[in-house]
Amino acid sequence: MATINNNYLKLKAGYLFPEIARRVNTFAEAHPEAKIIKLGIGDVTEPLPEACRQAIIKAVEEMGDRSTFKGYGPEQGYGWLREKIATQDFQARGCDIDASEIFISDGSKCDSGNILDIFGHDNTIAVTDPVYPVYVDTNVMAGNTGDVNEKGEYEGLVYLPITAENNFTAELPTQKVDLIYLCFPNNPTGATATKEYLQTWVNYAKANNAIILFDAAYEAFITDASLPHSIYEIEGAKDCAIEFRSFSKNAGFTGTRCALTVIPKTLKGKAADGSDVELWKLWNRRHCTKFNGVSYIVQRGAEAVYSDEGKAQVKGLIEFYLENAKIICSQLQAAGLTIYGGVNAPYVWVQTPTGLSSWDFFDKLLHNCNVVGTPGSGFGAAGEGYFRISAFNSRENVNEAMKRITEKFKV
């Protein structure tokens, strides 16, 4: 009989979002009349920008003509898309990133897990707590951890608590670590990072020969001009950081699938014999071996994000969801709740009332208000006592959900 990867058996009983779905489905079956509003998972609701849609339609038409038909494209992504990303997302902000250092993919979630393929199993890995669960679970699957303890923490990972006391920005590890996951604007807390703060991490990484895995999936929601959008705005970051980005949340590509990973050619890791190895070469080999590239049609849609029309339409989407976040913040505060985030970020991090656990609060909102959010404990032990509300929904649903909460839930 074929054996299995036993690391999967170390995973906690249920991934966070499937468990939420299970509870919601159970409630819905028992209360079919309930009109449930879901503000949990960070999935967008508004249509694709018109510029992207028209570009996709045109690309589909091209696929119906032999003279413009496209088969396999370059695994790394088409040059015309990578060039626009390099010039408009990075070089325009003073980041010395070349198009050849950009790899187009079908999701930053995928890339943040797949990146582990090019790293060894003897690295010491640091994650924040709370944290986007994918960072932890993919390390468990890859065999980089021990078993989970009673607190829900895995042996072998270094957990860096982020709390209200440290403004939800982790302090530097007291020990040497090799891989560091950072996410700003942060999922789930909505916290942001200053250039000065990120400089301390870059300095630490360079001093300890560590690599920062920087998730910038929500950078488009930053409206404060003083805040960095990319880790490469920080001096020295090209020597110690990999960045993940996505078209999912800025242009609504959650169901269309397009993202990118940046690996500078100056970035190096150590081989078993002590020699330096360029990580770009390893990722390029991995990418070409295990991935056939994002479809031509989707990449044309992503390219349209950088047109004048696309920029204006994406800006409108961002403003729409940020206004949702503003409404959520004001209404939850009116209900007597303490909130964080929701500014320069699409997530609102809610402190649960005294005496209620994260899952208690989840059940209370579901049963009393028919509103779904995400329990903070699902993001890690330090997330207990908090709750994430997503601004990704229609204005009608956001207004109705907040109306229910302010009327039916008082601290």
mmCIF file of all heavy atoms in Angstrom, residues 49 52 220-223 249-252 304-323:
data_model
loop_
_atom_site.group_PDB
_atom_site.id
_atom_site.type_symbol
_atom_site.label_atom_id
_atom_site.label_comp_id
_atom_site.label_asym_id
_atom_site.label_seq_id
_atom_site.Cartn_x
_atom_site.Cartn_y
_atom_site.Cartn_z
ATOM 1 N N PRO A 49 -13.052 45.352 -12.988
ATOM 2 C CA PRO A 49 -12.995 46.645 -13.669
ATOM 3 C C PRO A 49 -13.308 46.476 -15.154
ATOM 4 O O PRO A 49 -12.892 45.498 -15.780
ATOM 5 C CB PRO A 49 -11.540 47.089 -13.450
ATOM 6 C CG PRO A 49 -11.115 46.389 -12.207
ATOM 7 C CD PRO A 49 -11.813 45.058 -12.239
ATOM 8 N N CYS A 52 -10.451 45.711 -17.497
ATOM 9 C CA CYS A 52 -9.967 44.331 -17.428
ATOM 10 C C CYS A 52 -10.911 43.401 -18.178
ATOM 11 O O CYS A 52 -10.471 42.508 -18.918
ATOM 12 C CB CYS A 52 -9.834 43.892 -15.971
ATOM 13 S SG CYS A 52 -8.671 44.879 -15.005
ATOM 14 N N ALA A 220 -2.410 47.918 -2.025
ATOM 15 C CA ALA A 220 -3.201 48.913 -2.749
ATOM 16 C C ALA A 220 -4.139 49.692 -1.837
ATOM 17 O O ALA A 220 -4.627 50.766 -2.210
ATOM 18 C CB ALA A 220 -4.009 48.236 -3.858
ATOM 19 N N PHE A 221 -4.381 49.181 -0.633
ATOM 20 C CA PHE A 221 -5.289 49.850 0.294
ATOM 21 C C PHE A 221 -4.591 50.925 1.128
ATOM 22 O O PHE A 221 -5.229 51.613 1.918
ATOM 23 C CB PHE A 221 -5.957 48.823 1.210
ATOM 24 C CG PHE A 221 -6.934 47.943 0.472
ATOM 25 C CD1 PHE A 221 -6.496 46.792 -0.167
ATOM 26 C CD2 PHE A 221 -8.272 48.285 0.380
ATOM 27 C CE1 PHE A 221 -7.372 45.998 -0.871
ATOM 28 C CE2 PHE A 221 -9.160 47.496 -0.321
ATOM 29 C CZ PHE A 221 -8.716 46.343 -0.961
ATOM 30 N N ILE A 222 -3.291 51.062 0.952
ATOM 31 C CA ILE A 222 -2.549 52.093 1.680
ATOM 32 C C ILE A 222 -2.836 53.455 1.045
ATOM 33 O O ILE A 222 -2.574 53.669 -0.140
ATOM 34 C CB ILE A 222 -1.036 51.806 1.656
ATOM 35 C CG1 ILE A 222 -0.733 50.501 2.407
ATOM 36 C CG2 ILE A 222 -0.265 52.967 2.276
ATOM 37 C CD1 ILE A 222 0.723 50.064 2.301
ATOM 38 N N THR A 223 -3.377 54.374 1.838
ATOM 39 C CA THR A 223 -3.635 55.738 1.369
ATOM 40 C C THR A 223 -2.711 56.752 2.032
ATOM 41 O O THR A 223 -2.611 57.888 1.562
ATOM 42 C CB THR A 223 -5.098 56.127 1.639
ATOM 43 O OG1 THR A 223 -5.373 56.018 3.046
ATOM 44 C CG2 THR A 223 -6.054 55.215 0.882
ATOM 45 N N LYS A 249 -7.256 41.392 -4.627
ATOM 46 C CA LYS A 249 -7.977 42.326 -3.779
ATOM 47 C C LYS A 249 -8.038 43.739 -4.362
ATOM 48 O O LYS A 249 -8.966 44.490 -4.076
ATOM 49 C CB LYS A 249 -7.341 42.344 -2.386
ATOM 50 C CG LYS A 249 -7.241 40.964 -1.733
ATOM 51 C CD LYS A 249 -8.596 40.286 -1.638
ATOM 52 C CE LYS A 249 -8.499 38.810 -1.295
ATOM 53 N NZ LYS A 249 -7.914 38.491 -0.015
ATOM 54 N N ASN A 250 -7.060 44.116 -5.178
ATOM 55 C CA ASN A 250 -7.123 45.463 -5.758
ATOM 56 C C ASN A 250 -8.022 45.507 -6.992
ATOM 57 O O ASN A 250 -8.803 46.434 -7.177
ATOM 58 C CB ASN A 250 -5.718 45.975 -6.098
ATOM 59 C CG ASN A 250 -5.020 45.161 -7.162
ATOM 60 O OD1 ASN A 250 -5.332 44.003 -7.389
ATOM 61 N ND2 ASN A 250 -4.044 45.769 -7.819
ATOM 62 N N ALA A 251 -7.949 44.479 -7.849
ATOM 63 C CA ALA A 251 -8.712 44.477 -9.098
ATOM 64 C C ALA A 251 -9.799 43.406 -9.133
ATOM 65 O O ALA A 251 -10.412 43.191 -10.179
ATOM 66 C CB ALA A 251 -7.761 44.291 -10.279
ATOM 67 N N GLY A 252 -10.023 42.739 -8.009
ATOM 68 C CA GLY A 252 -11.114 41.771 -7.934
ATOM 69 C C GLY A 252 -10.862 40.462 -8.655
ATOM 70 O O GLY A 252 -11.797 39.820 -9.136
ATOM 71 N N ALA A 304 -4.439 45.252 -18.183
ATOM 72 C CA ALA A 304 -5.352 46.391 -18.284
ATOM 73 C C ALA A 304 -5.449 47.175 -16.980
ATOM 74 O O ALA A 304 -5.896 48.326 -16.984
ATOM 75 C CB ALA A 304 -6.737 45.915 -18.716
ATOM 76 N N VAL A 305 -5.038 46.584 -15.881
ATOM 77 C CA VAL A 305 -5.001 47.305 -14.597
ATOM 78 C C VAL A 305 -4.122 48.547 -14.721
ATOM 79 O O VAL A 305 -4.356 49.557 -14.048
ATOM 80 C CB VAL A 305 -4.487 46.378 -13.476
ATOM 81 C CG1 VAL A 305 -4.139 47.163 -12.219
ATOM 82 C CG2 VAL A 305 -5.528 45.302 -13.167
ATOM 83 N N TYR A 306 -3.115 48.495 -15.589
ATOM 84 C CA TYR A 306 -2.134 49.570 -15.704
ATOM 85 C C TYR A 306 -2.500 50.602 -16.773
ATOM 86 O O TYR A 306 -1.753 51.559 -16.986
ATOM 87 C CB TYR A 306 -0.755 48.968 -15.969
ATOM 88 C CG TYR A 306 -0.326 48.061 -14.849
ATOM 89 C CD1 TYR A 306 -0.514 46.678 -14.939
ATOM 90 C CD2 TYR A 306 0.207 48.583 -13.668
ATOM 91 C CE1 TYR A 306 -0.156 45.845 -13.887
ATOM 92 C CE2 TYR A 306 0.563 47.754 -12.622
ATOM 93 C CZ TYR A 306 0.373 46.386 -12.731
ATOM 94 O OH TYR A 306 0.715 45.563 -11.682
ATOM 95 N N SER A 307 -3.631 50.418 -17.447
ATOM 96 C CA SER A 307 -4.102 51.429 -18.394
ATOM 97 C C SER A 307 -4.702 52.591 -17.604
ATOM 98 O O SER A 307 -5.005 52.465 -16.406
ATOM 99 C CB SER A 307 -5.161 50.831 -19.321
ATOM 100 O OG SER A 307 -6.341 50.500 -18.586
ATOM 101 N N ASP A 308 -4.873 53.724 -18.245
ATOM 102 C CA ASP A 308 -5.464 54.872 -17.560
ATOM 103 C C ASP A 308 -6.860 54.543 -17.036
ATOM 104 O O ASP A 308 -7.205 54.888 -15.895
ATOM 105 C CB ASP A 308 -5.538 56.077 -18.503
ATOM 106 C CG ASP A 308 -4.165 56.659 -18.824
ATOM 107 O OD1 ASP A 308 -3.218 56.388 -18.049
ATOM 108 O OD2 ASP A 308 -4.037 57.374 -19.836
ATOM 109 N N GLU A 309 -7.650 53.861 -17.868
ATOM 110 C CA GLU A 309 -8.997 53.481 -17.431
ATOM 111 C C GLU A 309 -8.934 52.486 -16.283
ATOM 112 O O GLU A 309 -9.682 52.593 -15.311
ATOM 113 C CB GLU A 309 -9.773 52.863 -18.602
ATOM 114 C CG GLU A 309 -10.009 53.799 -19.771
ATOM 115 C CD GLU A 309 -8.823 53.846 -20.730
ATOM 116 O OE1 GLU A 309 -7.776 53.213 -20.452
ATOM 117 O OE2 GLU A 309 -8.954 54.519 -21.774
ATOM 118 N N GLY A 310 -8.032 51.513 -16.421
ATOM 119 C CA GLY A 310 -7.890 50.503 -15.377
ATOM 120 C C GLY A 310 -7.483 51.098 -14.043
ATOM 121 O O GLY A 310 -8.016 50.732 -12.990
ATOM 122 N N LYS A 311 -6.530 52.020 -14.076
ATOM 123 C CA LYS A 311 -6.087 52.659 -12.829
ATOM 124 C C LYS A 311 -7.241 53.368 -12.138
ATOM 125 O O LYS A 311 -7.400 53.272 -10.916
ATOM 126 C CB LYS A 311 -4.966 53.654 -13.126
ATOM 127 C CG LYS A 311 -3.650 53.036 -13.514
ATOM 128 C CD LYS A 311 -2.636 54.129 -13.860
ATOM 129 C CE LYS A 311 -1.340 53.566 -14.370
ATOM 130 N NZ LYS A 311 -0.399 54.645 -14.769
ATOM 131 N N ALA A 312 -8.030 54.097 -12.906
ATOM 132 C CA ALA A 312 -9.157 54.833 -12.324
ATOM 133 C C ALA A 312 -10.203 53.880 -11.758
ATOM 134 O O ALA A 312 -10.751 54.123 -10.669
ATOM 135 C CB ALA A 312 -9.791 55.728 -13.387
ATOM 136 N N GLN A 313 -10.461 52.789 -12.462
ATOM 137 C CA GLN A 313 -11.471 51.832 -12.007
ATOM 138 C C GLN A 313 -11.004 51.056 -10.780
ATOM 139 O O GLN A 313 -11.791 50.807 -9.855
ATOM 140 C CB GLN A 313 -11.835 50.895 -13.156
ATOM 141 C CG GLN A 313 -12.591 51.600 -14.273
ATOM 142 C CD GLN A 313 -12.515 50.894 -15.608
ATOM 143 O OE1 GLN A 313 -12.074 49.731 -15.699
ATOM 144 N NE2 GLN A 313 -12.925 51.574 -16.672
ATOM 145 N N VAL A 314 -9.727 50.689 -10.738
ATOM 146 C CA VAL A 314 -9.183 50.017 -9.554
ATOM 147 C C VAL A 314 -9.209 50.956 -8.354
ATOM 148 O O VAL A 314 -9.551 50.557 -7.235
ATOM 149 C CB VAL A 314 -7.751 49.507 -9.831
ATOM 150 C CG1 VAL A 314 -7.064 49.100 -8.532
ATOM 151 C CG2 VAL A 314 -7.782 48.330 -10.802
ATOM 152 N N LYS A 315 -8.876 52.209 -8.597
ATOM 153 C CA LYS A 315 -8.926 53.206 -7.517
ATOM 154 C C LYS A 315 -10.344 53.299 -6.952
ATOM 155 O O LYS A 315 -10.539 53.386 -5.733
ATOM 156 C CB LYS A 315 -8.478 54.566 -8.052
ATOM 157 C CG LYS A 315 -8.422 55.683 -7.010
ATOM 158 C CD LYS A 315 -7.826 56.951 -7.620
ATOM 159 C CE LYS A 315 -7.700 58.074 -6.586
ATOM 160 N NZ LYS A 315 -9.004 58.620 -6.194
ATOM 161 N N GLY A 316 -11.323 53.234 -7.833
ATOM 162 C CA GLY A 316 -12.711 53.271 -7.381
ATOM 163 C C GLY A 316 -13.067 52.066 -6.527
ATOM 164 O O GLY A 316 -13.784 52.194 -5.521
ATOM 165 N N LEU A 317 -12.575 50.893 -6.912
ATOM 166 C CA LEU A 317 -12.827 49.687 -6.112
ATOM 167 C C LEU A 317 -12.204 49.803 -4.728
ATOM 168 O O LEU A 317 -12.836 49.462 -3.715
ATOM 169 C CB LEU A 317 -12.265 48.459 -6.832
ATOM 170 C CG LEU A 317 -13.051 47.891 -8.005
ATOM 171 C CD1 LEU A 317 -12.287 46.722 -8.627
ATOM 172 C CD2 LEU A 317 -14.433 47.433 -7.557
ATOM 173 N N ILE A 318 -10.959 50.243 -4.681
ATOM 174 C CA ILE A 318 -10.264 50.387 -3.404
ATOM 175 C C ILE A 318 -11.017 51.361 -2.495
ATOM 176 O O ILE A 318 -11.230 51.092 -1.308
ATOM 177 C CB ILE A 318 -8.813 50.875 -3.625
ATOM 178 C CG1 ILE A 318 -8.012 49.851 -4.430
ATOM 179 C CG2 ILE A 318 -8.139 51.169 -2.292
ATOM 180 C CD1 ILE A 318 -7.883 48.502 -3.794
ATOM 181 N N GLU A 319 -11.423 52.487 -3.060
ATOM 182 C CA GLU A 319 -12.159 53.491 -2.274
ATOM 183 C C GLU A 319 -13.485 52.925 -1.780
ATOM 184 O O GLU A 319 -13.915 53.226 -0.655
ATOM 185 C CB GLU A 319 -12.392 54.746 -3.115
ATOM 186 C CG GLU A 319 -11.107 55.526 -3.390
ATOM 187 C CD GLU A 319 -11.313 56.678 -4.356
ATOM 188 O OE1 GLU A 319 -12.402 56.734 -5.002
ATOM 189 O OE2 GLU A 319 -10.400 57.524 -4.471
ATOM 190 N N PHE A 320 -14.120 52.102 -2.595
ATOM 191 C CA PHE A 320 -15.396 51.490 -2.209
ATOM 192 C C PHE A 320 -15.217 50.605 -0.973
ATOM 193 O O PHE A 320 -15.965 50.718 0.008
ATOM 194 C CB PHE A 320 -15.949 50.669 -3.371
ATOM 195 C CG PHE A 320 -17.207 49.911 -3.040
ATOM 196 C CD1 PHE A 320 -18.441 50.531 -3.109
ATOM 197 C CD2 PHE A 320 -17.147 48.585 -2.658
ATOM 198 C CE1 PHE A 320 -19.606 49.830 -2.799
ATOM 199 C CE2 PHE A 320 -18.303 47.883 -2.339
ATOM 200 C CZ PHE A 320 -19.538 48.503 -2.415
ATOM 201 N N TYR A 321 -14.216 49.725 -1.020
ATOM 202 C CA TYR A 321 -14.014 48.810 0.108
ATOM 203 C C TYR A 321 -13.499 49.552 1.348
ATOM 204 O O TYR A 321 -13.840 49.191 2.480
ATOM 205 C CB TYR A 321 -13.060 47.687 -0.290
ATOM 206 C CG TYR A 321 -13.648 46.719 -1.297
ATOM 207 C CD1 TYR A 321 -13.003 46.476 -2.511
ATOM 208 C CD2 TYR A 321 -14.840 46.052 -1.038
ATOM 209 C CE1 TYR A 321 -13.539 45.593 -3.440
ATOM 210 C CE2 TYR A 321 -15.382 45.175 -1.963
ATOM 211 C CZ TYR A 321 -14.732 44.948 -3.168
ATOM 212 O OH TYR A 321 -15.274 44.072 -4.084
ATOM 213 N N LEU A 322 -12.691 50.588 1.154
ATOM 214 C CA LEU A 322 -12.226 51.381 2.297
ATOM 215 C C LEU A 322 -13.383 52.137 2.950
ATOM 216 O O LEU A 322 -13.398 52.314 4.176
ATOM 217 C CB LEU A 322 -11.125 52.349 1.872
ATOM 218 C CG LEU A 322 -9.750 51.735 1.625
ATOM 219 C CD1 LEU A 322 -8.772 52.792 1.101
ATOM 220 C CD2 LEU A 322 -9.189 51.098 2.899
ATOM 221 N N GLU A 323 -14.348 52.576 2.152
ATOM 222 C CA GLU A 323 -15.537 53.216 2.724
ATOM 223 C C GLU A 323 -16.344 52.188 3.524
ATOM 224 O O GLU A 323 -16.897 52.511 4.592
ATOM 225 C CB GLU A 323 -16.394 53.830 1.619
ATOM 226 C CG GLU A 323 -17.645 54.542 2.114
ATOM 227 C CD GLU A 323 -17.366 55.735 3.003
ATOM 228 O OE1 GLU A 323 -16.252 56.307 2.923
ATOM 229 O OE2 GLU A 323 -18.267 56.122 3.789
#
